[in-house]
mmCIF file with all atom_site columns, all heavy atoms in Angstrom:
data_model
loop_
_atom_site.group_PDB
_atom_site.id
_atom_site.type_symbol
_atom_site.label_atom_id
_atom_site.label_alt_id
_atom_site.label_comp_id
_atom_site.label_asym_id
_atom_site.label_entity_id
_atom_site.label_seq_id
_atom_site.pdbx_PDB_ins_code
_atom_site.Cartn_x
_atom_site.Cartn_y
_atom_site.Cartn_z
_atom_site.occupancy
_atom_site.B_iso_or_equiv
_atom_site.pdbx_formal_charge
_atom_site.auth_seq_id
_atom_site.auth_comp_id
_atom_site.auth_asym_id
_atom_site.auth_atom_id
_atom_site.pdbx_PDB_model_num
ATOM 1   N N   . GLY V 1 21 ? -9.771  1.340   -5.943  1.00 0.00 ? 21 GLY V N   1
ATOM 2   C CA  . GLY V 1 21 ? -9.061  0.176   -6.489  1.00 0.00 ? 21 GLY V CA  1
ATOM 3   C C   . GLY V 1 21 ? -9.939  -0.661  -7.390  1.00 0.00 ? 21 GLY V C   1
ATOM 4   O O   . GLY V 1 21 ? -10.991 -0.226  -7.865  1.00 0.00 ? 21 GLY V O   1
ATOM 5   N N   . LEU V 1 22 ? -9.507  -1.877  -7.620  1.00 0.00 ? 22 LEU V N   1
ATOM 6   C CA  . LEU V 1 22 ? -10.284 -2.819  -8.419  1.00 0.00 ? 22 LEU V CA  1
ATOM 7   C C   . LEU V 1 22 ? -11.519 -3.254  -7.643  1.00 0.00 ? 22 LEU V C   1
ATOM 8   O O   . LEU V 1 22 ? -11.484 -3.327  -6.417  1.00 0.00 ? 22 LEU V O   1
ATOM 9   C CB  . LEU V 1 22 ? -9.437  -4.055  -8.737  1.00 0.00 ? 22 LEU V CB  1
ATOM 10  C CG  . LEU V 1 22 ? -8.159  -3.838  -9.522  1.00 0.00 ? 22 LEU V CG  1
ATOM 11  C CD1 . LEU V 1 22 ? -7.394  -5.148  -9.636  1.00 0.00 ? 22 LEU V CD1 1
ATOM 12  C CD2 . LEU V 1 22 ? -8.462  -3.275  -10.905 1.00 0.00 ? 22 LEU V CD2 1
ATOM 13  N N   . PRO V 1 23 ? -12.590 -3.588  -8.338  1.00 0.00 ? 23 PRO V N   1
ATOM 14  C CA  . PRO V 1 23 ? -13.747 -4.136  -7.619  1.00 0.00 ? 23 PRO V CA  1
ATOM 15  C C   . PRO V 1 23 ? -13.347 -5.449  -6.936  1.00 0.00 ? 23 PRO V C   1
ATOM 16  O O   . PRO V 1 23 ? -12.492 -6.172  -7.446  1.00 0.00 ? 23 PRO V O   1
ATOM 17  C CB  . PRO V 1 23 ? -14.778 -4.398  -8.714  1.00 0.00 ? 23 PRO V CB  1
ATOM 18  C CG  . PRO V 1 23 ? -14.254 -3.796  -9.964  1.00 0.00 ? 23 PRO V CG  1
ATOM 19  C CD  . PRO V 1 23 ? -12.799 -3.507  -9.771  1.00 0.00 ? 23 PRO V CD  1
ATOM 20  N N   . PRO V 1 24 ? -13.936 -5.751  -5.797  1.00 0.00 ? 24 PRO V N   1
ATOM 21  C CA  . PRO V 1 24 ? -13.595 -7.001  -5.115  1.00 0.00 ? 24 PRO V CA  1
ATOM 22  C C   . PRO V 1 24 ? -13.861 -8.201  -6.015  1.00 0.00 ? 24 PRO V C   1
ATOM 23  O O   . PRO V 1 24 ? -14.817 -8.202  -6.796  1.00 0.00 ? 24 PRO V O   1
ATOM 24  C CB  . PRO V 1 24 ? -14.522 -7.030  -3.908  1.00 0.00 ? 24 PRO V CB  1
ATOM 25  C CG  . PRO V 1 24 ? -15.086 -5.661  -3.783  1.00 0.00 ? 24 PRO V CG  1
ATOM 26  C CD  . PRO V 1 24 ? -14.983 -5.009  -5.113  1.00 0.00 ? 24 PRO V CD  1
ATOM 27  N N   . ASP V 1 25 ? -12.995 -9.184  -5.922  1.00 0.00 ? 25 ASP V N   1
ATOM 28  C CA  . ASP V 1 25 ? -13.209 -10.450 -6.628  1.00 0.00 ? 25 ASP V CA  1
ATOM 29  C C   . ASP V 1 25 ? -13.057 -11.571 -5.608  1.00 0.00 ? 25 ASP V C   1
ATOM 30  O O   . ASP V 1 25 ? -12.778 -11.326 -4.433  1.00 0.00 ? 25 ASP V O   1
ATOM 31  C CB  . ASP V 1 25 ? -12.255 -10.607 -7.818  1.00 0.00 ? 25 ASP V CB  1
ATOM 32  C CG  . ASP V 1 25 ? -10.789 -10.644 -7.425  1.00 0.00 ? 25 ASP V CG  1
ATOM 33  O OD1 . ASP V 1 25 ? -10.469 -10.720 -6.214  1.00 0.00 ? 25 ASP V OD1 1
ATOM 34  O OD2 . ASP V 1 25 ? -9.941  -10.603 -8.326  1.00 0.00 ? 25 ASP V OD2 1
ATOM 35  N N   . GLU V 1 26 ? -13.250 -12.788 -6.055  1.00 0.00 ? 26 GLU V N   1
ATOM 36  C CA  . GLU V 1 26 ? -13.232 -13.919 -5.136  1.00 0.00 ? 26 GLU V CA  1
ATOM 37  C C   . GLU V 1 26 ? -11.888 -14.038 -4.410  1.00 0.00 ? 26 GLU V C   1
ATOM 38  O O   . GLU V 1 26 ? -11.836 -14.283 -3.204  1.00 0.00 ? 26 GLU V O   1
ATOM 39  C CB  . GLU V 1 26 ? -13.545 -15.202 -5.906  1.00 0.00 ? 26 GLU V CB  1
ATOM 40  C CG  . GLU V 1 26 ? -13.866 -16.360 -5.027  1.00 0.00 ? 26 GLU V CG  1
ATOM 41  C CD  . GLU V 1 26 ? -14.451 -17.542 -5.783  1.00 0.00 ? 26 GLU V CD  1
ATOM 42  O OE1 . GLU V 1 26 ? -14.857 -17.376 -6.953  1.00 0.00 ? 26 GLU V OE1 1
ATOM 43  O OE2 . GLU V 1 26 ? -14.494 -18.629 -5.190  1.00 0.00 ? 26 GLU V OE2 1
ATOM 44  N N   . GLU V 1 27 ? -10.801 -13.836 -5.124  1.00 0.00 ? 27 GLU V N   1
ATOM 45  C CA  . GLU V 1 27 ? -9.468  -13.971 -4.530  1.00 0.00 ? 27 GLU V CA  1
ATOM 46  C C   . GLU V 1 27 ? -9.219  -12.890 -3.479  1.00 0.00 ? 27 GLU V C   1
ATOM 47  O O   . GLU V 1 27 ? -8.721  -13.182 -2.386  1.00 0.00 ? 27 GLU V O   1
ATOM 48  C CB  . GLU V 1 27 ? -8.406  -13.916 -5.630  1.00 0.00 ? 27 GLU V CB  1
ATOM 49  C CG  . GLU V 1 27 ? -7.021  -14.244 -5.145  1.00 0.00 ? 27 GLU V CG  1
ATOM 50  C CD  . GLU V 1 27 ? -5.997  -14.256 -6.274  1.00 0.00 ? 27 GLU V CD  1
ATOM 51  O OE1 . GLU V 1 27 ? -6.188  -13.576 -7.312  1.00 0.00 ? 27 GLU V OE1 1
ATOM 52  O OE2 . GLU V 1 27 ? -4.982  -14.946 -6.107  1.00 0.00 ? 27 GLU V OE2 1
ATOM 53  N N   . SER V 1 28 ? -9.573  -11.654 -3.776  1.00 0.00 ? 28 SER V N   1
ATOM 54  C CA  . SER V 1 28 ? -9.343  -10.581 -2.805  1.00 0.00 ? 28 SER V CA  1
ATOM 55  C C   . SER V 1 28 ? -10.255 -10.733 -1.586  1.00 0.00 ? 28 SER V C   1
ATOM 56  O O   . SER V 1 28 ? -9.845  -10.447 -0.465  1.00 0.00 ? 28 SER V O   1
ATOM 57  C CB  . SER V 1 28 ? -9.510  -9.197  -3.440  1.00 0.00 ? 28 SER V CB  1
ATOM 58  O OG  . SER V 1 28 ? -10.840 -8.944  -3.811  1.00 0.00 ? 28 SER V OG  1
ATOM 59  N N   . MET V 1 29 ? -11.475 -11.227 -1.794  1.00 0.00 ? 29 MET V N   1
ATOM 60  C CA  . MET V 1 29 ? -12.366 -11.431 -0.649  1.00 0.00 ? 29 MET V CA  1
ATOM 61  C C   . MET V 1 29 ? -11.867 -12.556 0.256   1.00 0.00 ? 29 MET V C   1
ATOM 62  O O   . MET V 1 29 ? -12.006 -12.477 1.474   1.00 0.00 ? 29 MET V O   1
ATOM 63  C CB  . MET V 1 29 ? -13.797 -11.702 -1.111  1.00 0.00 ? 29 MET V CB  1
ATOM 64  C CG  . MET V 1 29 ? -14.475 -10.480 -1.721  1.00 0.00 ? 29 MET V CG  1
ATOM 65  S SD  . MET V 1 29 ? -14.450 -8.999  -0.685  1.00 0.00 ? 29 MET V SD  1
ATOM 66  C CE  . MET V 1 29 ? -15.691 -9.392  0.508   1.00 0.00 ? 29 MET V CE  1
ATOM 67  N N   . ARG V 1 30 ? -11.240 -13.588 -0.316  1.00 0.00 ? 30 ARG V N   1
ATOM 68  C CA  . ARG V 1 30 ? -10.626 -14.637 0.519   1.00 0.00 ? 30 ARG V CA  1
ATOM 69  C C   . ARG V 1 30 ? -9.493  -14.026 1.349   1.00 0.00 ? 30 ARG V C   1
ATOM 70  O O   . ARG V 1 30 ? -9.324  -14.357 2.528   1.00 0.00 ? 30 ARG V O   1
ATOM 71  C CB  . ARG V 1 30 ? -10.102 -15.780 -0.352  1.00 0.00 ? 30 ARG V CB  1
ATOM 72  C CG  . ARG V 1 30 ? -11.139 -16.810 -0.704  1.00 0.00 ? 30 ARG V CG  1
ATOM 73  C CD  . ARG V 1 30 ? -10.553 -18.105 -1.236  1.00 0.00 ? 30 ARG V CD  1
ATOM 74  N NE  . ARG V 1 30 ? -9.528  -17.936 -2.246  1.00 0.00 ? 30 ARG V NE  1
ATOM 75  C CZ  . ARG V 1 30 ? -9.737  -17.871 -3.558  1.00 0.00 ? 30 ARG V CZ  1
ATOM 76  N NH1 . ARG V 1 30 ? -10.965 -17.976 -4.031  1.00 0.00 ? 30 ARG V NH1 1
ATOM 77  N NH2 . ARG V 1 30 ? -8.734  -17.723 -4.398  1.00 0.00 ? 30 ARG V NH2 1
ATOM 78  N N   . TYR V 1 31 ? -8.710  -13.143 0.726   1.00 0.00 ? 31 TYR V N   1
ATOM 79  C CA  . TYR V 1 31 ? -7.617  -12.469 1.434   1.00 0.00 ? 31 TYR V CA  1
ATOM 80  C C   . TYR V 1 31 ? -8.168  -11.663 2.620   1.00 0.00 ? 31 TYR V C   1
ATOM 81  O O   . TYR V 1 31 ? -7.673  -11.781 3.741   1.00 0.00 ? 31 TYR V O   1
ATOM 82  C CB  . TYR V 1 31 ? -6.849  -11.558 0.476   1.00 0.00 ? 31 TYR V CB  1
ATOM 83  C CG  . TYR V 1 31 ? -5.878  -10.638 1.178   1.00 0.00 ? 31 TYR V CG  1
ATOM 84  C CD1 . TYR V 1 31 ? -4.625  -11.091 1.579   1.00 0.00 ? 31 TYR V CD1 1
ATOM 85  C CD2 . TYR V 1 31 ? -6.214  -9.317  1.455   1.00 0.00 ? 31 TYR V CD2 1
ATOM 86  C CE1 . TYR V 1 31 ? -3.733  -10.247 2.239   1.00 0.00 ? 31 TYR V CE1 1
ATOM 87  C CE2 . TYR V 1 31 ? -5.340  -8.477  2.107   1.00 0.00 ? 31 TYR V CE2 1
ATOM 88  C CZ  . TYR V 1 31 ? -4.100  -8.937  2.497   1.00 0.00 ? 31 TYR V CZ  1
ATOM 89  O OH  . TYR V 1 31 ? -3.230  -8.111  3.159   1.00 0.00 ? 31 TYR V OH  1
ATOM 90  N N   . TRP V 1 32 ? -9.203  -10.844 2.360   1.00 0.00 ? 32 TRP V N   1
ATOM 91  C CA  . TRP V 1 32 ? -9.739  -10.000 3.426   1.00 0.00 ? 32 TRP V CA  1
ATOM 92  C C   . TRP V 1 32 ? -10.420 -10.822 4.516   1.00 0.00 ? 32 TRP V C   1
ATOM 93  O O   . TRP V 1 32 ? -10.343 -10.486 5.697   1.00 0.00 ? 32 TRP V O   1
ATOM 94  C CB  . TRP V 1 32 ? -10.686 -8.934  2.854   1.00 0.00 ? 32 TRP V CB  1
ATOM 95  C CG  . TRP V 1 32 ? -9.907  -7.869  2.153   1.00 0.00 ? 32 TRP V CG  1
ATOM 96  C CD1 . TRP V 1 32 ? -9.907  -7.582  0.818   1.00 0.00 ? 32 TRP V CD1 1
ATOM 97  C CD2 . TRP V 1 32 ? -8.950  -6.988  2.744   1.00 0.00 ? 32 TRP V CD2 1
ATOM 98  N NE1 . TRP V 1 32 ? -9.019  -6.568  0.558   1.00 0.00 ? 32 TRP V NE1 1
ATOM 99  C CE2 . TRP V 1 32 ? -8.415  -6.183  1.718   1.00 0.00 ? 32 TRP V CE2 1
ATOM 100 C CE3 . TRP V 1 32 ? -8.488  -6.783  4.042   1.00 0.00 ? 32 TRP V CE3 1
ATOM 101 C CZ2 . TRP V 1 32 ? -7.454  -5.205  1.947   1.00 0.00 ? 32 TRP V CZ2 1
ATOM 102 C CZ3 . TRP V 1 32 ? -7.520  -5.814  4.274   1.00 0.00 ? 32 TRP V CZ3 1
ATOM 103 C CH2 . TRP V 1 32 ? -7.022  -5.041  3.235   1.00 0.00 ? 32 TRP V CH2 1
ATOM 104 N N   . THR V 1 33 ? -11.032 -11.926 4.145   1.00 0.00 ? 33 THR V N   1
ATOM 105 C CA  . THR V 1 33 ? -11.617 -12.813 5.147   1.00 0.00 ? 33 THR V CA  1
ATOM 106 C C   . THR V 1 33 ? -10.523 -13.366 6.053   1.00 0.00 ? 33 THR V C   1
ATOM 107 O O   . THR V 1 33 ? -10.655 -13.370 7.288   1.00 0.00 ? 33 THR V O   1
ATOM 108 C CB  . THR V 1 33 ? -12.395 -13.956 4.468   1.00 0.00 ? 33 THR V CB  1
ATOM 109 O OG1 . THR V 1 33 ? -13.415 -13.396 3.639   1.00 0.00 ? 33 THR V OG1 1
ATOM 110 C CG2 . THR V 1 33 ? -13.020 -14.897 5.492   1.00 0.00 ? 33 THR V CG2 1
ATOM 111 N N   . ALA V 1 34 ? -9.424  -13.804 5.454   1.00 0.00 ? 34 ALA V N   1
ATOM 112 C CA  . ALA V 1 34 ? -8.296  -14.321 6.240   1.00 0.00 ? 34 ALA V CA  1
ATOM 113 C C   . ALA V 1 34 ? -7.714  -13.247 7.151   1.00 0.00 ? 34 ALA V C   1
ATOM 114 O O   . ALA V 1 34 ? -7.341  -13.536 8.300   1.00 0.00 ? 34 ALA V O   1
ATOM 115 C CB  . ALA V 1 34 ? -7.226  -14.887 5.312   1.00 0.00 ? 34 ALA V CB  1
ATOM 116 N N   . GLU V 1 35 ? -7.630  -12.003 6.665   1.00 0.00 ? 35 GLU V N   1
ATOM 117 C CA  . GLU V 1 35 ? -7.126  -10.905 7.498   1.00 0.00 ? 35 GLU V CA  1
ATOM 118 C C   . GLU V 1 35 ? -8.020  -10.713 8.730   1.00 0.00 ? 35 GLU V C   1
ATOM 119 O O   . GLU V 1 35 ? -7.522  -10.548 9.839   1.00 0.00 ? 35 GLU V O   1
ATOM 120 C CB  . GLU V 1 35 ? -7.058  -9.598  6.699   1.00 0.00 ? 35 GLU V CB  1
ATOM 121 C CG  . GLU V 1 35 ? -5.871  -9.484  5.784   1.00 0.00 ? 35 GLU V CG  1
ATOM 122 C CD  . GLU V 1 35 ? -4.552  -9.492  6.536   1.00 0.00 ? 35 GLU V CD  1
ATOM 123 O OE1 . GLU V 1 35 ? -4.279  -8.546  7.308   1.00 0.00 ? 35 GLU V OE1 1
ATOM 124 O OE2 . GLU V 1 35 ? -3.791  -10.459 6.359   1.00 0.00 ? 35 GLU V OE2 1
ATOM 125 N N   . MET V 1 36 ? -9.323  -10.719 8.502   1.00 0.00 ? 36 MET V N   1
ATOM 126 C CA  . MET V 1 36 ? -10.265 -10.558 9.622   1.00 0.00 ? 36 MET V CA  1
ATOM 127 C C   . MET V 1 36 ? -10.162 -11.723 10.604  1.00 0.00 ? 36 MET V C   1
ATOM 128 O O   . MET V 1 36 ? -10.258 -11.532 11.815  1.00 0.00 ? 36 MET V O   1
ATOM 129 C CB  . MET V 1 36 ? -11.708 -10.469 9.115   1.00 0.00 ? 36 MET V CB  1
ATOM 130 C CG  . MET V 1 36 ? -12.028 -9.267  8.297   1.00 0.00 ? 36 MET V CG  1
ATOM 131 S SD  . MET V 1 36 ? -12.218 -7.813  9.321   1.00 0.00 ? 36 MET V SD  1
ATOM 132 C CE  . MET V 1 36 ? -12.195 -6.560  8.072   1.00 0.00 ? 36 MET V CE  1
ATOM 133 N N   . GLU V 1 37 ? -9.964  -12.922 10.077  1.00 0.00 ? 37 GLU V N   1
ATOM 134 C CA  . GLU V 1 37 ? -9.887  -14.109 10.934  1.00 0.00 ? 37 GLU V CA  1
ATOM 135 C C   . GLU V 1 37 ? -8.613  -14.144 11.775  1.00 0.00 ? 37 GLU V C   1
ATOM 136 O O   . GLU V 1 37 ? -8.560  -14.861 12.768  1.00 0.00 ? 37 GLU V O   1
ATOM 137 C CB  . GLU V 1 37 ? -10.004 -15.369 10.086  1.00 0.00 ? 37 GLU V CB  1
ATOM 138 C CG  . GLU V 1 37 ? -11.407 -15.578 9.549   1.00 0.00 ? 37 GLU V CG  1
ATOM 139 C CD  . GLU V 1 37 ? -11.532 -16.730 8.571   1.00 0.00 ? 37 GLU V CD  1
ATOM 140 O OE1 . GLU V 1 37 ? -10.499 -17.169 7.997   1.00 0.00 ? 37 GLU V OE1 1
ATOM 141 O OE2 . GLU V 1 37 ? -12.673 -17.191 8.370   1.00 0.00 ? 37 GLU V OE2 1
ATOM 142 N N   . ARG V 1 38 ? -7.592  -13.386 11.406  1.00 0.00 ? 38 ARG V N   1
ATOM 143 C CA  . ARG V 1 38 ? -6.353  -13.323 12.184  1.00 0.00 ? 38 ARG V CA  1
ATOM 144 C C   . ARG V 1 38 ? -6.517  -12.474 13.439  1.00 0.00 ? 38 ARG V C   1
ATOM 145 O O   . ARG V 1 38 ? -5.596  -12.374 14.244  1.00 0.00 ? 38 ARG V O   1
ATOM 146 C CB  . ARG V 1 38 ? -5.219  -12.716 11.353  1.00 0.00 ? 38 ARG V CB  1
ATOM 147 C CG  . ARG V 1 38 ? -4.773  -13.552 10.188  1.00 0.00 ? 38 ARG V CG  1
ATOM 148 C CD  . ARG V 1 38 ? -3.709  -12.837 9.353   1.00 0.00 ? 38 ARG V CD  1
ATOM 149 N NE  . ARG V 1 38 ? -2.494  -12.688 10.131  1.00 0.00 ? 38 ARG V NE  1
ATOM 150 C CZ  . ARG V 1 38 ? -1.671  -11.643 10.030  1.00 0.00 ? 38 ARG V CZ  1
ATOM 151 N NH1 . ARG V 1 38 ? -1.919  -10.666 9.201   1.00 0.00 ? 38 ARG V NH1 1
ATOM 152 N NH2 . ARG V 1 38 ? -0.584  -11.583 10.757  1.00 0.00 ? 38 ARG V NH2 1
ATOM 153 N N   . ALA V 1 39 ? -7.669  -11.845 13.600  1.00 0.00 ? 39 ALA V N   1
ATOM 154 C CA  . ALA V 1 39 ? -7.876  -10.914 14.709  1.00 0.00 ? 39 ALA V CA  1
ATOM 155 C C   . ALA V 1 39 ? -8.954  -11.419 15.659  1.00 0.00 ? 39 ALA V C   1
ATOM 156 O O   . ALA V 1 39 ? -9.914  -12.056 15.247  1.00 0.00 ? 39 ALA V O   1
ATOM 157 C CB  . ALA V 1 39 ? -8.282  -9.551  14.156  1.00 0.00 ? 39 ALA V CB  1
#
Side-chain angles (χ1 to χ4, degrees):
L22 300 175
D25 62 9
E26 194 168 346
E27 188 177 26
S28 67
M29 290 307 284
R30 275 196 313 270
Y31 169 81
W32 286 114
T33 302
E35 281 297 295
M36 294 284 167
E37 288 173 341
R38 293 176 66 214

